[in-house]
Amino acid sequence: MHPETLVRDHTIYACVMGSRAFGLATRDSDTDRRGVYLAPTPLFWRFEKPPAHVEGPAEEQFSWELERFCELALRANPNILECLHSPLVEYADATGRELLELRGAFLSRRAHGTFTRYAHGQRRRLDADVRAYGAPRWKHAMHLLRLLTSARELLRTGTLTVDVGDRREALLAVRRGEVPWPEVESRMARLVEQNERAVRRSPLPEEPDRRRVEDFLFRARQASAREDAGRA
């Protein structure tokens, strides 16, 4: 089965991500689309397995096979968790709606480690830009502040909120380079400290509910196999 066919015919969940989902879109912002497809179960019975992800077919579109998506979400991958909590859902069939109902099962204190590691990587790149060019890439600085704030609120409340809400203008000022780099650095340092304090008292469980997610995946595969048998 062609990868594009998997996305076209077997998508169970699709959403918009990036600046539009974050509430930080400007006139020039792209529309980043993300999705999850459920590859038909019989495809896994062959030596050559279906792809774990597919880029396209549209521009700025990327999709994951359900099992891979769940694996990454259980590991608290920031991009995957935010995809699952996008406020801009474009499509969800019955299986996709059940996936959305499972959002809480993926959340755990693991998010502190994954969000922090991602933030550290981004910060190193910003520092390298400052050394090389005298200033960071302001768009990346804005998104790092957004990510750290999102992680802090997740750890404090147990809820992942993607849209920045009333923080939009303050963040866009950073993107426009209107906030001095030392002030941006100070904000980042405060957020890192707040995340460290928040994880110690977080209402989130230590680990995600892997068994609940695995049960969902098993039932989805089983239903797909029955559907294929019914067409035979």
Side-chain angles (χ1 to χ4, degrees):
M1 185 175 291
H2 195 278
E4 291 187 4
T5 302
L6 288 170
V7 175
R8 186 189 67 229
D9 296 345
H10 298 282
T11 289
I12 63 168
Y13 171 68
C15 67
V16 172
M17 279 305 302
S19 294
R20 297 193 182 282
F22 301 143
L24 293 169
T26 63
R27 183 173 54 189
D28 300 324
S29 295
D30 294 328
T31 300
D32 300 321
R33 288 187 163 83
R34 300 292 179 264
V36 182
Y37 58 90
L38 175 60
T41 300
L43 294 182
F44 290 91
W45 298 339
R46 304 172 181 176
F47 286 123
E48 185 177 355
K49 308 301 180 186
H53 61 262
V54 175
E55 188 169 354
E59 291 186 11
E60 309 299 335
Q61 183 180 12
F62 193 95
S63 301
W64 295 268
E65 206 286 320
L66 178 60
E67 183 172 344
R68 178 59 174 163
F69 186 86
C70 288
E71 287 176 346
L72 293 172
L74 286 168
R75 296 177 194 170
N77 178 292
N79 291 325
I80 298 294
L81 291 181
E82 289 184 333
C83 177
L84 199 52
H85 289 78
S86 172
L88 302 178
V89 175
E90 293 192 315
Y91 174 78
D93 65 7
T95 306
R97 290 192 296 273
E98 188 172 356
L99 175 63
L100 289 175
E101 291 172 0
L102 275 174
R103 284 183 293 195
F106 294 103
L107 297 178
S108 72
R109 295 191 187 190
R110 284 188 180 187
H112 175 254
T114 55
F115 276 68
T116 298
R117 285 193 295 274
Y118 186 85
H120 283 167
Q122 292 298 103
R123 178 59 193 272
R124 286 194 295 271
R125 294 184 182 92
L126 291 172
D127 288 339
D129 287 339
V130 172
R131 289 192 298 270
Y133 310 112
R137 299 182 190 186
W138 292 109
K139 179 179 178 180
H140 294 180
M142 174 193 72
H143 279 298
L144 179 49
L145 286 170
R146 179 204 65 77
L147 180 78
L148 288 168
T149 303
S150 179
R152 181 193 65 187
E153 296 308 302
L154 169 60
L155 293 169
R156 284 178 173 177
T157 67
T159 300
L160 181 57
T161 302
V162 172
D163 193 303
V164 300
D166 60 9
R167 294 187 294 273
R168 170 182 164 85
E169 291 308 317
L171 287 167
L172 288 178
V174 172
R175 175 175 177 161
R176 293 191 295 266
E178 296 171 359
V179 183
W181 175 238
E183 171 59 24
V184 174
E185 284 186 299
S186 178
R187 292 184 192 178
M188 290 176 180
R190 285 197 301 272
L191 285 165
V192 169
E193 291 175 2
Q194 291 166 357
N195 271 273
E196 292 296 332
R197 291 197 298 270
V199 71
R200 293 194 290 267
R201 295 180 289 182
S202 178
L204 290 172
E206 290 290 340
E207 298 291 333
D209 193 342
R210 184 181 181 88
R211 180 173 295 181
R212 186 178 168 202
V213 174
E214 191 170 47
D215 176 67
F216 160 68
L217 179 62
F218 179 84
R219 287 185 287 103
R221 291 269 190 257
Q222 194 174 52
S224 173
R226 284 198 298 265
E227 183 179 345
D228 184 78
R231 288 195 297 265

